[in-house]
Amino acid sequence: SALPDAAASAPFPADFIWGVATSAYQIEGAAHEGGRGPSIWDVFAATPGKVAGGDTGEHACDHYHRYREDVALMQSLGVDAYRFSIAWPRVQPDGAGAWNEEGWAFYGRLLDALDDAGIAAHATLYHWDLPQALEDKGGWRNRDTAARFADYAAEFVRRFGERVKTIATHNEPLCTAMIGHEEGRFAPGLKDRKAAYQVAHHLLLSHGLAMQAMRAAGARAALGIVLNQSPAYPAAPTEDARIAARLADAMCNRLFMDPLFRGAYPADLLAHLGADAPVVLPGDMALIGAPLDFLGINYYSRIWAGAPAGQPAPCALGVTDMGWEIYPQGLTEHLVRIARDYNPPPIYITENGAACVDVPEAGAVHDPQRIRFLASHIAALRSAMAQGADVRGYFAWSLLDNFEWDSGYAKRFGLVFVDYPTQQRTLKDSALWYHDWIVGQRRAASVRES
Ligand code: PNW
């Protein structure tokens, strides 16, 4: 399926959106300010042994206080759009009942700053920071949490629905469900496969209920969901490895894509799960399958499945500082496959980026690996579009170095370097590269128009 370089280097459409992304818990800090309630990540990070270095999001990038400076940084990059998330416990500390006006006011100020800078806002309602009060009642294992989420979503639309271009219900429900409830590496830290699949279903249900509630509240923004997706490849030329890859695809991709776009969980996955398959009530699948205005896809790497015991998965290219294989072609292959198998709505690449070992040096940060990562994935995206994938925008992860979940501050994904003790921000070479890339695309578009 590889196309000649011409497709990958063709200019992007003039209205293609270039952006950067962040999430609330990873950058805001001010965990105890402005009436914010505790989230499951505050509790998890405070538990010894859960996060590298004992790091927490208590201060993070102090974006809660420095958002104006951060919007100015985005402006200097020349981006069209900013994808960020709302901290649910900031706007509804208990996850139910009273709204916290001081919390809503923060997002109002952020939206004002983005307006002034001419940067479009793309909001995500849930990027993993569940109010702890809801976790105390069973969190996403409790079906009622889905109804609480829909209330919050509708309130967001009533307040800010006119001021954002897109609203995503969830970010990466796969990670919430599996890393949070089966692996235990993310909050709330459970190790229970049956619970994890019930959580996956309740996340999808909460998405469906939120879509319904937001439409009823008169949402004008485009509504959708963000999924992390990875093509799965057999790690050996054997039938066992092919079966393992099919199952990995079911667990990572079709688990969410099939209910959203085909109205049912994958039969092979349900058969594999047996008694661990989720309880689904009548009407759930119709809610979950309601039409989306857009689909967000986060792409980082591919999955190898079925490597014979003791044999490492083949991995020809380099890896990032996360140890994740760099495989831009997977983005092309996956987007083409999604277009073919699901006929999805317009797609945004809502995250793509790399962790690198970045060292500041005399006011600069040289990160050639990140530049190569971004350039090669953008080219891979362009060739997917040439093969029919309808992609409208690309958001680099991330604007800033930030709290990288269980890795704490040890892993740096930012285009902008953050010196945490001083909170000083420094543009990395990749930020300058991204700026030049965006300017180059705009110039090419205006030449085409004249
Ligand atoms: C995404 N995995 O998380 C998240 O949306 C971001 O908050 C995060 O900072 C970024 O990617 C980088 O990690 C992921 O294990 C976490 O495959 C884990 C995985 C993938 C994405």
Side-chain angles (χ1 to χ4, degrees), residues 22-23 26 83 127-128 171-172 174-175 179 183 185-186 226 228 230 298 300-301 303 322 324 351 353 397-398 402-406 413:
T22 65
S23 90
Q26 294 180 274
R83 171 176 179 251
H127 201 126
W128 307 353
N171 175 73
E172 303 192 350
L174 177 69
C175 290
I179 307 183
E183 264 185 71
R185 214 157 42 77
F186 288 177
V226 171
N228 54 312
S230 302
N298 296 350
Y300 287 94
S301 190
I303 299 166
M322 298 297 282
W324 298 349
E351 288 179 27
W397 182 270
S398 178
N402 60 49
F403 177 80
E404 178 51 31
W405 307 115
D406 60 328
F413 275 90

